[in-house]
Amino acid sequence: MKLVFATGNLNKMREIREIMSGLDFDICSMKEAGIDLDIDENAETFEGNALIKARAVRNALDASGSEELKKAVVLADDSGLEIDALGGAPGVYSARFMGEDTGYDIKNAEIIKRLSGKTGKQRAARFRCVIAAVFPDGRELTASGCFEGVIANAPGGENGFGYDPILFLPEYGMTAAQLSSEEKNKISHRGKALFEMRKLLETTC
Ligand code: ITT
């Protein structure tokens, strides 16, 4: 089955390929499928935005003229960091928090600053991910996953991307950016959502 991923985020795409490797899916990014779209993610939920992205790319593939791409299933990932002490922010605005072009060293430092004085469970946070699938016949599926932790007192680790250096995982005694990519993919929001989606695709198709 050909799967086209509706993401322009190269770090997500790398993780998606790692998680789906060895399976019987022919995976490509929207860029590799020749689709260049600026999608307005204007929903207020991860599920809503994942569906907006997947539907937009599905429509673009229909218009592409390629018979192979017309039959592809489009998948999209919408994800973000939810911090309890900030009322769930940045949440669906994770990529846009402090501006899309602001570096994650600055965004992460600002989050740590906003949590100053908070300890233990007051620092609870999690990554959430919703994967949406849109089929050529219009059917839609969604699957979700979450990755629980607390906001670290200081950023740590060089692996991963985005907010990984500030999500501290008490069970592992390290941040998400200190896990290897293999370890992160096994327990992450994205790993869990994709595992669920794989099962749905296998039973649906
Ligand atoms: P696409 O919409 O093109 O997929 P995006 O980066 O804009 O790419 P989102 O709108 O889903 O994606 O925003 C997700 C943001 O949440 C992402 O840019 C990171 O800042 C953060 N994020 C999501 N998953 C993460 C992870 O595994 N580790 C660290 N940060 C993550």
Side-chain angles (χ1 to χ4, degrees), residues 6-9 12 15 41 53 77-80 94-95 104 127 161-164 184 189-190:
T7 180
N9 182 320
K12 275 188 189 177
E15 290 191 356
E41 297 175 33
K53 292 187 251 190
D77 163 313
D78 200 65
S79 45
S94 292
Y104 277 88
F127 284 128
F161 66 100
Y163 298 103
D164 280 335
K184 181 185 169 191
H189 51 315
R190 185 163 295 105

Short mmCIF file of all heavy atoms in Angstrom, two decimals, residues 6-9 12 15 41 53 77-80 94-95 104 127 161-164 184 189-190, ligand 1:
data_model
loop_
_atom_site.label_atom_id
_atom_site.label_comp_id
_atom_site.label_asym_id
_atom_site.label_seq_id
_atom_site.Cartn_x
_atom_site.Cartn_y
_atom_site.Cartn_z
N ALA A 6 1.49 13.70 4.91
CA ALA A 6 1.24 15.13 4.73
C ALA A 6 1.99 15.92 5.79
O ALA A 6 1.38 16.49 6.70
CB ALA A 6 -0.26 15.40 4.82
N THR A 7 3.30 15.92 5.72
CA THR A 7 4.09 16.73 6.65
C THR A 7 5.27 17.37 5.94
O THR A 7 5.85 16.77 5.03
CB THR A 7 4.62 15.90 7.85
OG1 THR A 7 5.39 16.77 8.70
CG2 THR A 7 5.49 14.73 7.44
N GLY A 8 5.59 18.57 6.37
CA GLY A 8 6.78 19.24 5.86
C GLY A 8 7.88 19.23 6.90
O GLY A 8 8.93 19.82 6.71
N ASN A 9 7.62 18.57 8.03
CA ASN A 9 8.59 18.53 9.14
C ASN A 9 9.52 17.33 8.96
O ASN A 9 9.10 16.18 9.08
CB ASN A 9 7.81 18.45 10.46
CG ASN A 9 8.72 18.46 11.69
OD1 ASN A 9 9.78 17.84 11.68
ND2 ASN A 9 8.29 19.15 12.73
N LYS A 12 9.87 14.85 11.95
CA LYS A 12 8.73 13.92 12.06
C LYS A 12 8.87 12.82 11.01
O LYS A 12 8.67 11.65 11.29
CB LYS A 12 7.43 14.66 11.71
CG LYS A 12 6.77 15.40 12.81
CD LYS A 12 5.41 15.85 12.26
CE LYS A 12 4.70 16.79 13.16
NZ LYS A 12 3.44 17.27 12.60
N GLU A 15 11.32 10.18 11.94
CA GLU A 15 10.79 9.26 12.95
C GLU A 15 9.74 8.33 12.34
O GLU A 15 9.70 7.13 12.64
CB GLU A 15 10.18 10.04 14.12
CG GLU A 15 11.23 10.74 14.96
CD GLU A 15 10.71 11.29 16.28
OE1 GLU A 15 9.50 11.22 16.56
OE2 GLU A 15 11.54 11.81 17.04
N GLU A 41 -3.60 25.35 9.33
CA GLU A 41 -4.03 24.42 10.40
C GLU A 41 -4.86 25.22 11.39
O GLU A 41 -4.38 25.64 12.44
CB GLU A 41 -2.79 23.82 11.08
CG GLU A 41 -1.94 22.99 10.14
CD GLU A 41 -0.66 22.49 10.80
OE1 GLU A 41 -0.64 22.23 12.01
OE2 GLU A 41 0.34 22.36 10.07
N LYS A 53 -4.86 18.49 7.34
CA LYS A 53 -3.65 18.26 6.54
C LYS A 53 -3.83 17.07 5.60
O LYS A 53 -3.48 17.13 4.42
CB LYS A 53 -2.44 18.02 7.45
CG LYS A 53 -2.02 19.25 8.24
CD LYS A 53 -0.71 19.00 9.00
CE LYS A 53 -0.91 18.91 10.48
NZ LYS A 53 0.33 18.92 11.26
N ASP A 77 0.25 13.83 10.60
CA ASP A 77 0.54 13.82 12.04
C ASP A 77 0.31 15.23 12.55
O ASP A 77 0.88 16.18 12.01
CB ASP A 77 2.02 13.41 12.20
CG ASP A 77 2.64 13.71 13.56
OD1 ASP A 77 2.47 14.84 14.08
OD2 ASP A 77 3.34 12.84 14.07
N ASP A 78 -0.53 15.40 13.56
CA ASP A 78 -0.54 16.68 14.28
C ASP A 78 -0.18 16.38 15.72
O ASP A 78 -0.71 15.44 16.32
CB ASP A 78 -1.89 17.39 14.18
CG ASP A 78 -1.71 18.87 14.50
OD1 ASP A 78 -1.02 19.57 13.73
OD2 ASP A 78 -2.22 19.35 15.54
N SER A 79 0.75 17.14 16.24
CA SER A 79 1.28 16.81 17.55
C SER A 79 1.70 18.07 18.29
O SER A 79 1.75 19.15 17.70
CB SER A 79 2.47 15.85 17.39
OG SER A 79 3.33 16.29 16.36
N GLY A 80 2.01 17.92 19.56
CA GLY A 80 2.45 19.08 20.32
C GLY A 80 2.63 18.75 21.78
O GLY A 80 2.37 17.63 22.23
N SER A 94 1.99 24.43 19.30
CA SER A 94 3.39 24.14 19.64
C SER A 94 4.38 24.63 18.59
O SER A 94 5.43 25.18 18.93
CB SER A 94 3.58 22.64 19.88
OG SER A 94 2.90 22.26 21.05
N ALA A 95 4.08 24.44 17.31
CA ALA A 95 5.01 24.87 16.26
C ALA A 95 5.03 26.40 16.19
O ALA A 95 6.05 27.01 15.90
CB ALA A 95 4.63 24.27 14.92
N TYR A 104 14.30 26.57 19.03
CA TYR A 104 13.78 25.80 20.18
C TYR A 104 14.60 26.02 21.44
O TYR A 104 14.08 25.81 22.54
CB TYR A 104 13.62 24.32 19.82
CG TYR A 104 12.31 24.12 19.10
CD1 TYR A 104 12.21 24.27 17.73
CD2 TYR A 104 11.14 23.90 19.82
CE1 TYR A 104 11.00 24.16 17.07
CE2 TYR A 104 9.92 23.78 19.19
CZ TYR A 104 9.86 23.91 17.81
OH TYR A 104 8.65 23.82 17.19
N PHE A 127 3.60 15.00 25.45
CA PHE A 127 3.43 15.16 24.00
C PHE A 127 2.19 14.39 23.61
O PHE A 127 1.98 13.26 24.10
CB PHE A 127 4.62 14.55 23.24
CG PHE A 127 5.88 15.36 23.28
CD1 PHE A 127 7.08 14.78 23.67
CD2 PHE A 127 5.89 16.68 22.88
CE1 PHE A 127 8.25 15.50 23.69
CE2 PHE A 127 7.07 17.42 22.89
CZ PHE A 127 8.25 16.83 23.29
N PHE A 161 14.20 16.35 18.61
CA PHE A 161 14.00 17.69 18.04
C PHE A 161 13.01 18.47 18.91
O PHE A 161 12.49 17.94 19.90
CB PHE A 161 13.48 17.59 16.59
CG PHE A 161 12.09 16.99 16.45
CD1 PHE A 161 10.97 17.81 16.27
CD2 PHE A 161 11.88 15.62 16.50
CE1 PHE A 161 9.69 17.27 16.14
CE2 PHE A 161 10.60 15.08 16.38
CZ PHE A 161 9.51 15.90 16.20
N GLY A 162 12.77 19.70 18.52
CA GLY A 162 11.72 20.52 19.15
C GLY A 162 11.85 20.61 20.66
O GLY A 162 12.86 21.02 21.22
N TYR A 163 10.78 20.18 21.34
CA TYR A 163 10.71 20.30 22.80
C TYR A 163 11.30 19.08 23.52
O TYR A 163 11.22 18.99 24.75
CB TYR A 163 9.25 20.48 23.23
CG TYR A 163 8.60 21.74 22.69
CD1 TYR A 163 7.71 21.68 21.61
CD2 TYR A 163 8.87 22.98 23.25
CE1 TYR A 163 7.11 22.84 21.11
CE2 TYR A 163 8.28 24.14 22.76
CZ TYR A 163 7.40 24.06 21.69
OH TYR A 163 6.82 25.21 21.20
N ASP A 164 11.91 18.14 22.80
CA ASP A 164 12.46 16.94 23.44
C ASP A 164 13.40 17.24 24.62
O ASP A 164 13.34 16.54 25.64
CB ASP A 164 13.19 16.05 22.42
CG ASP A 164 12.23 15.19 21.60
OD1 ASP A 164 11.13 14.90 22.09
OD2 ASP A 164 12.60 14.82 20.48
N LYS A 184 13.15 6.22 21.91
CA LYS A 184 12.05 7.21 21.86
C LYS A 184 10.88 6.66 21.05
O LYS A 184 9.73 6.74 21.46
CB LYS A 184 12.55 8.54 21.26
CG LYS A 184 11.44 9.60 21.22
CD LYS A 184 11.83 10.89 20.52
CE LYS A 184 10.58 11.75 20.32
NZ LYS A 184 10.79 12.89 19.42
N HIS A 189 4.65 9.37 21.85
CA HIS A 189 3.31 9.68 21.34
C HIS A 189 3.17 9.26 19.87
O HIS A 189 2.20 8.64 19.48
CB HIS A 189 3.06 11.19 21.51
CG HIS A 189 4.15 12.07 20.95
ND1 HIS A 189 5.49 11.83 21.17
CD2 HIS A 189 4.11 13.17 20.16
CE1 HIS A 189 6.22 12.73 20.56
NE2 HIS A 189 5.40 13.56 19.94
N ARG A 190 4.21 9.56 19.07
CA ARG A 190 4.16 9.26 17.63
C ARG A 190 4.26 7.75 17.41
O ARG A 190 3.56 7.19 16.57
CB ARG A 190 5.31 10.00 16.92
CG ARG A 190 5.32 9.88 15.41
CD ARG A 190 6.20 10.95 14.78
NE ARG A 190 5.67 12.27 15.03
CZ ARG A 190 6.20 13.14 15.92
NH1 ARG A 190 7.31 12.84 16.57
NH2 ARG A 190 5.62 14.30 16.14
P1 ITT B 1 3.65 19.57 9.75
O1 ITT B 1 2.39 20.34 10.14
O2 ITT B 1 4.13 19.91 8.38
O3 ITT B 1 3.52 18.10 10.00
P2 ITT B 1 4.77 20.97 12.03
O4 ITT B 1 6.13 21.00 12.66
O5 ITT B 1 4.11 22.29 11.74
O6 ITT B 1 4.85 20.05 10.71
P3 ITT B 1 2.68 20.39 13.96
O7 ITT B 1 1.80 21.49 13.49
O8 ITT B 1 2.06 19.06 14.25
O9 ITT B 1 3.86 20.08 12.94
O10 ITT B 1 3.47 20.91 15.23
C1 ITT B 1 4.11 20.01 16.05
C2 ITT B 1 5.12 20.72 16.90
O11 ITT B 1 5.10 20.09 18.20
C3 ITT B 1 6.51 20.47 16.36
O12 ITT B 1 6.90 21.49 15.47
C4 ITT B 1 7.34 20.44 17.63
O13 ITT B 1 7.59 21.73 18.08
C5 ITT B 1 6.39 19.78 18.63
N1 ITT B 1 6.58 18.33 18.65
C6 ITT B 1 5.76 17.37 18.11
N2 ITT B 1 6.29 16.15 18.28
C7 ITT B 1 7.45 16.33 18.93
C8 ITT B 1 8.45 15.45 19.37
O14 ITT B 1 8.37 14.15 19.13
N3 ITT B 1 9.50 15.96 20.00
C9 ITT B 1 9.62 17.27 20.21
N4 ITT B 1 8.73 18.19 19.82
C10 ITT B 1 7.64 17.73 19.18
#
